[in-house]
């Protein structure tokens, strides 16, 4: 699975924290996409935006597998919580569609 990151209004420290935490959560998704066939054809777009005014993070995960595009979006005041909730939504959609 290939992963592409997009960040907006985030400090480099927050970006590295985001990447590290997400890398711990990705095996959960990788186990499920094994059923989809070749893992080289799977692409995960990860977008994270920080809203200074509200001190919140918006995380969007867009998973492209052959014949399917699954999007999960979540916003939270804690970056780790936003990742966890977005991953959970993505996993629920994968269970339904794959």
């Amino acid at each position: 699975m290939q992963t592409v990151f997009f960040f907006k209004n985030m400090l480099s420290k927050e970006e590295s924290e985001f990447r590290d935490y997400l890398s711990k959560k990705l095996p959960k998704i990788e186990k499920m996409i094994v059923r989809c066939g070749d893992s080289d054809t799977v692409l995960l777009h990860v977008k994270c935006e920080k809203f200074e005014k509200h001190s919140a993070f918006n995380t969007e995960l867009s998973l492209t597998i052959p014949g399917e595009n699954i999007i999960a979006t979540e916003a939270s005041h804690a970056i780790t919580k936003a990742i966890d909730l977005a991953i959970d939504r993505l996993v629920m959609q994968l269970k339904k569609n794959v």
Side-chain angles (χ1 to χ4, degrees):
M1 176 171 69
Q2 299 174 358
T3 307
V4 180
F5 291 93
F6 299 99
F7 296 105
K8 186 174 180 182
N9 300 329
M10 292 182 66
L11 303 172
S12 60
K13 176 186 167 192
E14 294 167 333
E15 289 179 15
S16 64
E17 179 185 342
F18 184 88
R19 287 177 194 259
D20 292 342
Y21 191 75
L22 186 66
S23 67
K24 294 176 186 174
K25 299 294 181 173
L26 283 181
K28 190 174 186 178
I29 295 173
E30 290 173 346
K31 287 180 194 175
M32 297 187 74
I33 61 171
V34 170
R35 296 181 235 156
C36 299
D38 189 16
S39 64
D40 293 338
T41 60
V42 177
L43 180 62
L44 178 66
H45 286 277
V46 180
K47 298 176 188 173
C48 188
E49 181 178 1
K50 181 180 180 182
F51 299 108
E52 289 290 335
K53 186 175 181 181
H54 303 289
S55 68
F57 295 93
N58 185 35
T59 302
E60 179 180 309
L61 304 176
S62 176
L63 185 68
T64 305
I65 55 177
E68 201 73 44
N69 190 19
I70 302 170
I71 299 172
T73 305
E74 197 60 53
S76 180
H77 291 284
I79 195 167
T80 55
K81 187 174 179 181
I83 294 170
D84 287 339
L85 295 172
I87 292 279
D88 290 343
R89 284 182 187 252
L90 193 66
V91 167
M92 284 191 312
Q93 291 181 40
L94 273 171
K95 286 179 181 178
K96 288 180 187 176
N97 296 328
V98 178

